[in-house]
Amino acid sequence: MTDTQFQSSCYRGRFAPSPTGPLHFGSLVTAVGSYLDAKSHHGEWLIRVEDLDTPRVVPGASRDILVMLEKLGMEWDGQVVYQSQRHDLYSSAVSLLNKREMVYPCVCSRKEIADSSIVGISGPIYPGTCRDSFRNAHNWVKDRKQSSVRIKTDQRVVALTDRVQGVLSQHIGKDIGDFVLHRADGIFAYQLAVVVDDAQQNITHVVRGADLLDSTPRQIFLQQLLGYATPVYMHLPIVTNDGGEKLSKQTFAAPVAQFNVSFQLVAALKFLGQNPPRELLDCDLKTFWQWAISHWNADNVTKTGVPTVFMT
C-alpha cells in the first residue's frame, strides 16, 4: 500500500505497552515509530495497555508509562484501553469459535508438550493429543478451569508483506500447530486478545517491534476465522544491548530518563533511519514533533535499525 493510499483512508494506529516495568529505549522506539506513522498520515494514535498477564504486571507501571509519554509530548486519541477490563470480549470470541467447533480443551502438561519430537518456529509443536478427546466441543466450557483452550489449525499457508521486514509466510499447522487461546490459569492468550482488540478498535495499521513478527501469521489466521479485517503491518527493528539481547526488563534495560528527553527522542529517530538535524536537541517538544511528523519517511526504516550511541 502506498503513502497516497494511506492518506486516502482512515488511519487508526496504536501503541500497546505491557506494564511489566518502565518505558525503556526499545519501547520508546516503538512508541515513536507508531506515533509518527499515524500522525504523518493524519491518523489516530490509540493507547492500549496490555496487562492481561497479571503475574508479570508491575504495580504502577502503566501509570508511569503514560506519564512518561506525556513528558515526551506524545498525545494519544481517545481513552486508554486496558486489556484486563476486556475479558468479556475475549470470552465471546472463544465462544464463537467454540460454536463453530474450532476450539477444544487441552489438559496436557508443559512437560508432555516439551517431550514432543515435533519442533516448529516457536518451539515444540503440540502433537494434538487432546484434539479428538472431546468430541462434543461444548465440553471446553465445563472443563476450562482445569484445561487450556486450543484453536484447531489447518493446512492453510498464511502470508503477509510487512512494510519493513518484507514477505513472511507460515504453514500454520506444520510450523505452529494448535496454539492456546485461553490458558489453564484463566488468562487469555496474547494472540487472541490482540486480534480481538485490533478489530474492536478498528485498527487499520499495526506498527510494533519485530520480535512479534513470527506471531503475526497466527493473528491473521484468527482474523480469518473470526471474520475480521487484517491491518497493514510494519514491524520495527529491535533494539538490543551490547550482548545482542533485546532490551527488556529481563535484560535490565535502563528506563527512559525524565530529563533531557530531546536527546532520547533524537536517538530514537536515528535508530529508525531518520535524519534529524542537531538543532532538534535544543528545541522544545512542540517543534521537535512538528519536524519529526513532517519529515517521517517509513522507507528509511531498516530491518535491523541504525546503531546509535544511546543503546543502554
Side-chain angles (χ1 to χ4, degrees), residues 191-226:
Q191 307 296 351
L192 174 73
V194 70
V195 165
V196 172
D197 287 335
D198 283 344
Q200 195 274 336
Q201 293 185 283
N202 297 314
I203 299 299
T204 62
H205 295 75
V206 173
V207 179
R208 60 189 181 188
D211 54 317
L212 295 170
L213 179 62
D214 281 344
S215 69
T216 305
R218 269 169 277 179
Q219 294 164 26
I220 295 175
F221 174 69
L222 288 177
Q223 290 161 2
Q224 293 172 351
L225 295 184
L226 290 165

PDB file of all heavy atoms in Angstrom, residues 191-226:
ATOM      1  N   GLN A 191      -2.269 -13.848  21.697  1.00  0.00           N
ATOM      2  CA  GLN A 191      -2.642 -13.996  20.289  1.00  0.00           C
ATOM      3  C   GLN A 191      -4.117 -13.717  20.070  1.00  0.00           C
ATOM      4  O   GLN A 191      -4.507 -13.085  19.083  1.00  0.00           O
ATOM      5  CB  GLN A 191      -2.293 -15.406  19.786  1.00  0.00           C
ATOM      6  CG  GLN A 191      -0.858 -15.844  20.016  1.00  0.00           C
ATOM      7  CD  GLN A 191       0.153 -14.990  19.260  1.00  0.00           C
ATOM      8  OE1 GLN A 191      -0.204 -14.165  18.428  1.00  0.00           O
ATOM      9  NE2 GLN A 191       1.428 -15.188  19.554  1.00  0.00           N
ATOM     10  N   LEU A 192      -4.952 -14.165  20.977  1.00  0.00           N
ATOM     11  CA  LEU A 192      -6.391 -13.907  20.868  1.00  0.00           C
ATOM     12  C   LEU A 192      -6.722 -12.471  21.210  1.00  0.00           C
ATOM     13  O   LEU A 192      -7.451 -11.791  20.468  1.00  0.00           O
ATOM     14  CB  LEU A 192      -7.163 -14.849  21.791  1.00  0.00           C
ATOM     15  CG  LEU A 192      -8.676 -14.561  21.865  1.00  0.00           C
ATOM     16  CD1 LEU A 192      -9.363 -15.006  20.579  1.00  0.00           C
ATOM     17  CD2 LEU A 192      -9.299 -15.248  23.076  1.00  0.00           C
ATOM     18  N   ALA A 193      -6.195 -11.994  22.339  1.00  0.00           N
ATOM     19  CA  ALA A 193      -6.561 -10.660  22.818  1.00  0.00           C
ATOM     20  C   ALA A 193      -6.199  -9.576  21.817  1.00  0.00           C
ATOM     21  O   ALA A 193      -6.997  -8.667  21.547  1.00  0.00           O
ATOM     22  CB  ALA A 193      -5.887 -10.384  24.158  1.00  0.00           C
ATOM     23  N   VAL A 194      -5.005  -9.653  21.241  1.00  0.00           N
ATOM     24  CA  VAL A 194      -4.578  -8.598  20.315  1.00  0.00           C
ATOM     25  C   VAL A 194      -5.441  -8.593  19.060  1.00  0.00           C
ATOM     26  O   VAL A 194      -5.748  -7.527  18.507  1.00  0.00           O
ATOM     27  CB  VAL A 194      -3.075  -8.760  19.973  1.00  0.00           C
ATOM     28  CG1 VAL A 194      -2.838  -9.984  19.101  1.00  0.00           C
ATOM     29  CG2 VAL A 194      -2.546  -7.511  19.291  1.00  0.00           C
ATOM     30  N   VAL A 195      -5.878  -9.755  18.615  1.00  0.00           N
ATOM     31  CA  VAL A 195      -6.732  -9.838  17.429  1.00  0.00           C
ATOM     32  C   VAL A 195      -8.102  -9.225  17.714  1.00  0.00           C
ATOM     33  O   VAL A 195      -8.628  -8.427  16.922  1.00  0.00           O
ATOM     34  CB  VAL A 195      -6.865 -11.306  16.974  1.00  0.00           C
ATOM     35  CG1 VAL A 195      -8.024 -11.480  15.999  1.00  0.00           C
ATOM     36  CG2 VAL A 195      -5.563 -11.776  16.336  1.00  0.00           C
ATOM     37  N   VAL A 196      -8.677  -9.582  18.849  1.00  0.00           N
ATOM     38  CA  VAL A 196      -9.987  -9.045  19.224  1.00  0.00           C
ATOM     39  C   VAL A 196      -9.909  -7.534  19.430  1.00  0.00           C
ATOM     40  O   VAL A 196     -10.768  -6.776  18.954  1.00  0.00           O
ATOM     41  CB  VAL A 196     -10.517  -9.742  20.492  1.00  0.00           C
ATOM     42  CG1 VAL A 196     -11.783  -9.053  21.003  1.00  0.00           C
ATOM     43  CG2 VAL A 196     -10.801 -11.216  20.208  1.00  0.00           C
ATOM     44  N   ASP A 197      -8.869  -7.077  20.114  1.00  0.00           N
ATOM     45  CA  ASP A 197      -8.724  -5.647  20.388  1.00  0.00           C
ATOM     46  C   ASP A 197      -8.543  -4.840  19.109  1.00  0.00           C
ATOM     47  O   ASP A 197      -9.164  -3.787  18.933  1.00  0.00           O
ATOM     48  CB  ASP A 197      -7.529  -5.405  21.310  1.00  0.00           C
ATOM     49  CG  ASP A 197      -7.796  -5.844  22.740  1.00  0.00           C
ATOM     50  OD1 ASP A 197      -8.975  -5.884  23.128  1.00  0.00           O
ATOM     51  OD2 ASP A 197      -6.830  -6.159  23.453  1.00  0.00           O
ATOM     52  N   ASP A 198      -7.671  -5.309  18.214  1.00  0.00           N
ATOM     53  CA  ASP A 198      -7.439  -4.565  16.976  1.00  0.00           C
ATOM     54  C   ASP A 198      -8.724  -4.459  16.163  1.00  0.00           C
ATOM     55  O   ASP A 198      -9.011  -3.417  15.560  1.00  0.00           O
ATOM     56  CB  ASP A 198      -6.336  -5.234  16.146  1.00  0.00           C
ATOM     57  CG  ASP A 198      -4.943  -4.956  16.689  1.00  0.00           C
ATOM     58  OD1 ASP A 198      -4.794  -4.018  17.500  1.00  0.00           O
ATOM     59  OD2 ASP A 198      -3.998  -5.668  16.298  1.00  0.00           O
ATOM     60  N   ALA A 199      -9.509  -5.524  16.143  1.00  0.00           N
ATOM     61  CA  ALA A 199     -10.774  -5.495  15.396  1.00  0.00           C
ATOM     62  C   ALA A 199     -11.784  -4.583  16.079  1.00  0.00           C
ATOM     63  O   ALA A 199     -12.432  -3.753  15.428  1.00  0.00           O
ATOM     64  CB  ALA A 199     -11.337  -6.911  15.265  1.00  0.00           C
ATOM     65  N   GLN A 200     -11.905  -4.704  17.397  1.00  0.00           N
ATOM     66  CA  GLN A 200     -12.893  -3.921  18.129  1.00  0.00           C
ATOM     67  C   GLN A 200     -12.577  -2.429  18.081  1.00  0.00           C
ATOM     68  O   GLN A 200     -13.476  -1.590  18.076  1.00  0.00           O
ATOM     69  CB  GLN A 200     -12.945  -4.423  19.573  1.00  0.00           C
ATOM     70  CG  GLN A 200     -14.154  -3.973  20.369  1.00  0.00           C
ATOM     71  CD  GLN A 200     -13.954  -2.609  21.010  1.00  0.00           C
ATOM     72  OE1 GLN A 200     -12.824  -2.168  21.247  1.00  0.00           O
ATOM     73  NE2 GLN A 200     -15.052  -1.921  21.285  1.00  0.00           N
ATOM     74  N   GLN A 201     -11.280  -2.101  18.007  1.00  0.00           N
ATOM     75  CA  GLN A 201     -10.868  -0.694  17.958  1.00  0.00           C
ATOM     76  C   GLN A 201     -10.689  -0.192  16.523  1.00  0.00           C
ATOM     77  O   GLN A 201     -10.244   0.937  16.332  1.00  0.00           O
ATOM     78  CB  GLN A 201      -9.572  -0.507  18.736  1.00  0.00           C
ATOM     79  CG  GLN A 201      -9.717  -0.730  20.238  1.00  0.00           C
ATOM     80  CD  GLN A 201      -8.431  -0.423  20.984  1.00  0.00           C
ATOM     81  OE1 GLN A 201      -7.488  -1.211  20.979  1.00  0.00           O
ATOM     82  NE2 GLN A 201      -8.381   0.746  21.607  1.00  0.00           N
ATOM     83  N   ASN A 202     -11.015  -1.015  15.552  1.00  0.00           N
ATOM     84  CA  ASN A 202     -10.905  -0.637  14.140  1.00  0.00           C
ATOM     85  C   ASN A 202      -9.486  -0.184  13.776  1.00  0.00           C
ATOM     86  O   ASN A 202      -9.297   0.810  13.059  1.00  0.00           O
ATOM     87  CB  ASN A 202     -11.910   0.466  13.796  1.00  0.00           C
ATOM     88  CG  ASN A 202     -13.355   0.007  13.960  1.00  0.00           C
ATOM     89  OD1 ASN A 202     -13.724  -1.073  13.524  1.00  0.00           O
ATOM     90  ND2 ASN A 202     -14.162   0.816  14.612  1.00  0.00           N
ATOM     91  N   ILE A 203      -8.497  -0.921  14.257  1.00  0.00           N
ATOM     92  CA  ILE A 203      -7.106  -0.606  13.945  1.00  0.00           C
ATOM     93  C   ILE A 203      -6.823  -0.974  12.492  1.00  0.00           C
ATOM     94  O   ILE A 203      -7.057  -2.103  12.076  1.00  0.00           O
ATOM     95  CB  ILE A 203      -6.147  -1.362  14.887  1.00  0.00           C
ATOM     96  CG1 ILE A 203      -6.396  -0.948  16.343  1.00  0.00           C
ATOM     97  CG2 ILE A 203      -4.696  -1.124  14.487  1.00  0.00           C
ATOM     98  CD1 ILE A 203      -6.178   0.525  16.628  1.00  0.00           C
ATOM     99  N   THR A 204      -6.320  -0.022  11.744  1.00  0.00           N
ATOM    100  CA  THR A 204      -6.025  -0.264  10.321  1.00  0.00           C
ATOM    101  C   THR A 204      -4.550  -0.529  10.071  1.00  0.00           C
ATOM    102  O   THR A 204      -4.193  -1.167   9.084  1.00  0.00           O
ATOM    103  CB  THR A 204      -6.454   0.936   9.466  1.00  0.00           C
ATOM    104  OG1 THR A 204      -5.705   2.103   9.878  1.00  0.00           O
ATOM    105  CG2 THR A 204      -7.946   1.211   9.605  1.00  0.00           C
ATOM    106  N   HIS A 205      -3.676  -0.019  10.968  1.00  0.00           N
ATOM    107  CA  HIS A 205      -2.235  -0.159  10.795  1.00  0.00           C
ATOM    108  C   HIS A 205      -1.586  -0.518  12.128  1.00  0.00           C
ATOM    109  O   HIS A 205      -1.823   0.151  13.137  1.00  0.00           O
ATOM    110  CB  HIS A 205      -1.623   1.145  10.268  1.00  0.00           C
ATOM    111  CG  HIS A 205      -2.090   1.520   8.901  1.00  0.00           C
ATOM    112  ND1 HIS A 205      -3.338   2.029   8.657  1.00  0.00           N
ATOM    113  CD2 HIS A 205      -1.467   1.438   7.696  1.00  0.00           C
ATOM    114  CE1 HIS A 205      -3.484   2.251   7.367  1.00  0.00           C
ATOM    115  NE2 HIS A 205      -2.355   1.904   6.765  1.00  0.00           N
ATOM    116  N   VAL A 206      -0.805  -1.580  12.107  1.00  0.00           N
ATOM    117  CA  VAL A 206      -0.098  -2.023  13.302  1.00  0.00           C
ATOM    118  C   VAL A 206       1.395  -1.780  13.101  1.00  0.00           C
ATOM    119  O   VAL A 206       2.007  -2.332  12.191  1.00  0.00           O
ATOM    120  CB  VAL A 206      -0.351  -3.515  13.583  1.00  0.00           C
ATOM    121  CG1 VAL A 206       0.529  -4.003  14.729  1.00  0.00           C
ATOM    122  CG2 VAL A 206      -1.827  -3.753  13.900  1.00  0.00           C
ATOM    123  N   VAL A 207       1.962  -0.927  13.955  1.00  0.00           N
ATOM    124  CA  VAL A 207       3.402  -0.638  13.937  1.00  0.00           C
ATOM    125  C   VAL A 207       3.937  -1.075  15.291  1.00  0.00           C
ATOM    126  O   VAL A 207       3.578  -0.504  16.324  1.00  0.00           O
ATOM    127  CB  VAL A 207       3.686   0.859  13.699  1.00  0.00           C
ATOM    128  CG1 VAL A 207       5.187   1.125  13.700  1.00  0.00           C
ATOM    129  CG2 VAL A 207       3.061   1.315  12.377  1.00  0.00           C
ATOM    130  N   ARG A 208       4.789  -2.088  15.305  1.00  0.00           N
ATOM    131  CA  ARG A 208       5.293  -2.656  16.547  1.00  0.00           C
ATOM    132  C   ARG A 208       6.659  -3.284  16.316  1.00  0.00           C
ATOM    133  O   ARG A 208       7.195  -3.249  15.206  1.00  0.00           O
ATOM    134  CB  ARG A 208       4.312  -3.704  17.092  1.00  0.00           C
ATOM    135  CG  ARG A 208       4.058  -4.882  16.150  1.00  0.00           C
ATOM    136  CD  ARG A 208       2.936  -5.761  16.644  1.00  0.00           C
ATOM    137  NE  ARG A 208       2.712  -6.897  15.758  1.00  0.00           N
ATOM    138  CZ  ARG A 208       1.701  -7.745  15.870  1.00  0.00           C
ATOM    139  NH1 ARG A 208       0.811  -7.586  16.838  1.00  0.00           N
ATOM    140  NH2 ARG A 208       1.568  -8.755  15.027  1.00  0.00           N
ATOM    141  N   GLY A 209       7.237  -3.897  17.355  1.00  0.00           N
ATOM    142  CA  GLY A 209       8.569  -4.457  17.260  1.00  0.00           C
ATOM    143  C   GLY A 209       8.626  -5.752  16.475  1.00  0.00           C
ATOM    144  O   GLY A 209       7.670  -6.539  16.460  1.00  0.00           O
ATOM    145  N   ALA A 210       9.761  -6.004  15.849  1.00  0.00           N
ATOM    146  CA  ALA A 210       9.937  -7.196  15.019  1.00  0.00           C
ATOM    147  C   ALA A 210       9.973  -8.480  15.832  1.00  0.00           C
ATOM    148  O   ALA A 210       9.894  -9.573  15.263  1.00  0.00           O
ATOM    149  CB  ALA A 210      11.207  -7.073  14.181  1.00  0.00           C
ATOM    150  N   ASP A 211      10.075  -8.382  17.154  1.00  0.00           N
ATOM    151  CA  ASP A 211      10.007  -9.592  17.975  1.00  0.00           C
ATOM    152  C   ASP A 211       8.634 -10.243  17.886  1.00  0.00           C
ATOM    153  O   ASP A 211       8.477 -11.424  18.228  1.00  0.00           O
ATOM    154  CB  ASP A 211      10.348  -9.270  19.435  1.00  0.00           C
ATOM    155  CG  ASP A 211       9.499  -8.149  20.007  1.00  0.00           C
ATOM    156  OD1 ASP A 211       9.289  -7.131  19.308  1.00  0.00           O
ATOM    157  OD2 ASP A 211       9.049  -8.268  21.156  1.00  0.00           O
ATOM    158  N   LEU A 212       7.638  -9.512  17.399  1.00  0.00           N
ATOM    159  CA  LEU A 212       6.284 -10.045  17.252  1.00  0.00           C
ATOM    160  C   LEU A 212       5.974 -10.480  15.821  1.00  0.00           C
ATOM    161  O   LEU A 212       4.858 -10.906  15.530  1.00  0.00           O
ATOM    162  CB  LEU A 212       5.260  -8.997  17.705  1.00  0.00           C
ATOM    163  CG  LEU A 212       5.322  -8.651  19.197  1.00  0.00           C
ATOM    164  CD1 LEU A 212       4.447  -7.446  19.500  1.00  0.00           C
ATOM    165  CD2 LEU A 212       4.898  -9.846  20.040  1.00  0.00           C
ATOM    166  N   LEU A 213       6.958 -10.390  14.945  1.00  0.00           N
ATOM    167  CA  LEU A 213       6.728 -10.717  13.533  1.00  0.00           C
ATOM    168  C   LEU A 213       6.271 -12.158  13.354  1.00  0.00           C
ATOM    169  O   LEU A 213       5.305 -12.429  12.627  1.00  0.00           O
ATOM    170  CB  LEU A 213       8.000 -10.456  12.724  1.00  0.00           C
ATOM    171  CG  LEU A 213       7.922 -10.765  11.223  1.00  0.00           C
ATOM    172  CD1 LEU A 213       6.882  -9.887  10.536  1.00  0.00           C
ATOM    173  CD2 LEU A 213       9.302 -10.569  10.580  1.00  0.00           C
ATOM    174  N   ASP A 214       6.951 -13.109  14.002  1.00  0.00           N
ATOM    175  CA  ASP A 214       6.618 -14.523  13.805  1.00  0.00           C
ATOM    176  C   ASP A 214       5.224 -14.886  14.298  1.00  0.00           C
ATOM    177  O   ASP A 214       4.653 -15.894  13.858  1.00  0.00           O
ATOM    178  CB  ASP A 214       7.649 -15.416  14.505  1.00  0.00           C
ATOM    179  CG  ASP A 214       8.941 -15.558  13.707  1.00  0.00           C
ATOM    180  OD1 ASP A 214       8.926 -15.227  12.507  1.00  0.00           O
ATOM    181  OD2 ASP A 214       9.956 -15.982  14.281  1.00  0.00           O
ATOM    182  N   SER A 215       4.677 -14.087  15.203  1.00  0.00           N
ATOM    183  CA  SER A 215       3.331 -14.381  15.706  1.00  0.00           C
ATOM    184  C   SER A 215       2.234 -13.795  14.821  1.00  0.00           C
ATOM    185  O   SER A 215       1.055 -14.137  14.982  1.00  0.00           O
ATOM    186  CB  SER A 215       3.178 -13.859  17.137  1.00  0.00           C
ATOM    187  OG  SER A 215       3.165 -12.448  17.169  1.00  0.00           O
ATOM    188  N   THR A 216       2.604 -12.948  13.880  1.00  0.00           N
ATOM    189  CA  THR A 216       1.603 -12.272  13.060  1.00  0.00           C
ATOM    190  C   THR A 216       0.778 -13.233  12.206  1.00  0.00           C
ATOM    191  O   THR A 216      -0.445 -13.072  12.116  1.00  0.00           O
ATOM    192  CB  THR A 216       2.267 -11.192  12.187  1.00  0.00           C
ATOM    193  OG1 THR A 216       2.992 -10.298  13.035  1.00  0.00           O
ATOM    194  CG2 THR A 216       1.227 -10.388  11.419  1.00  0.00           C
ATOM    195  N   PRO A 217       1.361 -14.256  11.547  1.00  0.00           N
ATOM    196  CA  PRO A 217       0.520 -15.192  10.803  1.00  0.00           C
ATOM    197  C   PRO A 217      -0.537 -15.875  11.664  1.00  0.00           C
ATOM    198  O   PRO A 217      -1.661 -16.122  11.205  1.00  0.00           O
ATOM    199  CB  PRO A 217       1.530 -16.201  10.243  1.00  0.00           C
ATOM    200  CG  PRO A 217       2.776 -15.408  10.082  1.00  0.00           C
ATOM    201  CD  PRO A 217       2.802 -14.498  11.283  1.00  0.00           C
ATOM    202  N   ARG A 218      -0.215 -16.170  12.922  1.00  0.00           N
ATOM    203  CA  ARG A 218      -1.215 -16.742  13.823  1.00  0.00           C
ATOM    204  C   ARG A 218      -2.377 -15.767  14.016  1.00  0.00           C
ATOM    205  O   ARG A 218      -3.552 -16.165  14.048  1.00  0.00           O
ATOM    206  CB  ARG A 218      -0.582 -17.042  15.186  1.00  0.00           C
ATOM    207  CG  ARG A 218      -0.022 -18.419  15.339  1.00  0.00           C
ATOM    208  CD  ARG A 218       0.812 -18.557  16.596  1.00  0.00           C
ATOM    209  NE  ARG A 218       2.171 -18.072  16.383  1.00  0.00           N
ATOM    210  CZ  ARG A 218       3.119 -18.041  17.299  1.00  0.00           C
ATOM    211  NH1 ARG A 218       2.852 -18.447  18.526  1.00  0.00           N
ATOM    212  NH2 ARG A 218       4.317 -17.607  17.023  1.00  0.00           N
ATOM    213  N   GLN A 219      -2.041 -14.497  14.134  1.00  0.00           N
ATOM    214  CA  GLN A 219      -3.080 -13.492  14.330  1.00  0.00           C
ATOM    215  C   GLN A 219      -3.929 -13.324  13.071  1.00  0.00           C
ATOM    216  O   GLN A 219      -5.150 -13.174  13.146  1.00  0.00           O
ATOM    217  CB  GLN A 219      -2.431 -12.181  14.764  1.00  0.00           C
ATOM    218  CG  GLN A 219      -1.782 -12.289  16.141  1.00  0.00           C
ATOM    219  CD  GLN A 219      -0.814 -11.173  16.460  1.00  0.00           C
ATOM    220  OE1 GLN A 219      -0.920 -10.077  15.926  1.00  0.00           O
ATOM    221  NE2 GLN A 219       0.157 -11.453  17.330  1.00  0.00           N
ATOM    222  N   ILE A 220      -3.287 -13.367  11.922  1.00  0.00           N
ATOM    223  CA  ILE A 220      -4.042 -13.289  10.662  1.00  0.00           C
ATOM    224  C   ILE A 220      -4.952 -14.498  10.524  1.00  0.00           C
ATOM    225  O   ILE A 220      -6.101 -14.399  10.060  1.00  0.00           O
ATOM    226  CB  ILE A 220      -3.084 -13.169   9.465  1.00  0.00           C
ATOM    227  CG1 ILE A 220      -2.301 -11.845   9.538  1.00  0.00           C
ATOM    228  CG2 ILE A 220      -3.845 -13.266   8.147  1.00  0.00           C
ATOM    229  CD1 ILE A 220      -1.252 -11.689   8.458  1.00  0.00           C
ATOM    230  N   PHE A 221      -4.465 -15.667  10.919  1.00  0.00           N
ATOM    231  CA  PHE A 221      -5.271 -16.891  10.902  1.00  0.00           C
ATOM    232  C   PHE A 221      -6.531 -16.716  11.742  1.00  0.00           C
ATOM    233  O   PHE A 221      -7.642 -17.038  11.308  1.00  0.00           O
ATOM    234  CB  PHE A 221      -4.417 -18.055  11.427  1.00  0.00           C
ATOM    235  CG  PHE A 221      -5.151 -19.352  11.601  1.00  0.00           C
ATOM    236  CD1 PHE A 221      -5.602 -20.075  10.509  1.00  0.00           C
ATOM    237  CD2 PHE A 221      -5.378 -19.861  12.875  1.00  0.00           C
ATOM    238  CE1 PHE A 221      -6.269 -21.277  10.683  1.00  0.00           C
ATOM    239  CE2 PHE A 221      -6.043 -21.063  13.058  1.00  0.00           C
ATOM    240  CZ  PHE A 221      -6.494 -21.778  11.959  1.00  0.00           C
ATOM    241  N   LEU A 222      -6.373 -16.166  12.953  1.00  0.00           N
ATOM    242  CA  LEU A 222      -7.538 -15.924  13.809  1.00  0.00           C
ATOM    243  C   LEU A 222      -8.462 -14.870  13.204  1.00  0.00           C
ATOM    244  O   LEU A 222      -9.690 -14.972  13.297  1.00  0.00           O
ATOM    245  CB  LEU A 222      -7.080 -15.495  15.202  1.00  0.00           C
ATOM    246  CG  LEU A 222      -6.447 -16.571  16.088  1.00  0.00           C
ATOM    247  CD1 LEU A 222      -5.977 -15.962  17.401  1.00  0.00           C
ATOM    248  CD2 LEU A 222      -7.423 -17.709  16.352  1.00  0.00           C
ATOM    249  N   GLN A 223      -7.882 -13.838  12.592  1.00  0.00           N
ATOM    250  CA  GLN A 223      -8.701 -12.821  11.932  1.00  0.00           C
ATOM    251  C   GLN A 223      -9.570 -13.455  10.842  1.00  0.00           C
ATOM    252  O   GLN A 223     -10.755 -13.132  10.699  1.00  0.00           O
ATOM    253  CB  GLN A 223      -7.801 -11.740  11.330  1.00  0.00           C
ATOM    254  CG  GLN A 223      -7.118 -10.850  12.356  1.00  0.00           C
ATOM    255  CD  GLN A 223      -5.913 -10.113  11.801  1.00  0.00           C
ATOM    256  OE1 GLN A 223      -5.587 -10.227  10.625  1.00  0.00           O
ATOM    257  NE2 GLN A 223      -5.223  -9.376  12.653  1.00  0.00           N
ATOM    258  N   GLN A 224      -8.993 -14.367  10.108  1.00  0.00           N
ATOM    259  CA  GLN A 224      -9.740 -15.042   9.045  1.00  0.00           C
ATOM    260  C   GLN A 224     -10.875 -15.879   9.619  1.00  0.00           C
ATOM    261  O   GLN A 224     -12.001 -15.864   9.094  1.00  0.00           O
ATOM    262  CB  GLN A 224      -8.781 -15.902   8.217  1.00  0.00           C
ATOM    263  CG  GLN A 224      -7.769 -15.109   7.410  1.00  0.00           C
ATOM    264  CD  GLN A 224      -6.710 -15.966   6.754  1.00  0.00           C
ATOM    265  OE1 GLN A 224      -6.604 -17.171   7.029  1.00  0.00           O
ATOM    266  NE2 GLN A 224      -5.902 -15.375   5.883  1.00  0.00           N
ATOM    267  N   LEU A 225     -10.612 -16.603  10.705  1.00  0.00           N
ATOM    268  CA  LEU A 225     -11.642 -17.442  11.309  1.00  0.00           C
ATOM    269  C   LEU A 225     -12.770 -16.616  11.914  1.00  0.00           C
ATOM    270  O   LEU A 225     -13.940 -17.024  11.870  1.00  0.00           O
ATOM    271  CB  LEU A 225     -11.029 -18.329  12.393  1.00  0.00           C
ATOM    272  CG  LEU A 225     -10.016 -19.393  11.955  1.00  0.00           C
ATOM    273  CD1 LEU A 225      -9.599 -20.241  13.151  1.00  0.00           C
ATOM    274  CD2 LEU A 225     -10.568 -20.280  10.845  1.00  0.00           C
ATOM    275  N   LEU A 226     -12.422 -15.462  12.474  1.00  0.00           N
ATOM    276  CA  LEU A 226     -13.422 -14.622  13.144  1.00  0.00           C
ATOM    277  C   LEU A 226     -14.077 -13.611  12.210  1.00  0.00           C
ATOM    278  O   LEU A 226     -14.972 -12.881  12.618  1.00  0.00           O
ATOM    279  CB  LEU A 226     -12.761 -13.889  14.318  1.00  0.00           C
ATOM    280  CG  LEU A 226     -12.362 -14.780  15.504  1.00  0.00           C
ATOM    281  CD1 LEU A 226     -11.400 -14.044  16.436  1.00  0.00           C
ATOM    282  CD2 LEU A 226     -13.606 -15.237  16.275  1.00  0.00           C
TER     283      LEU A 226
END
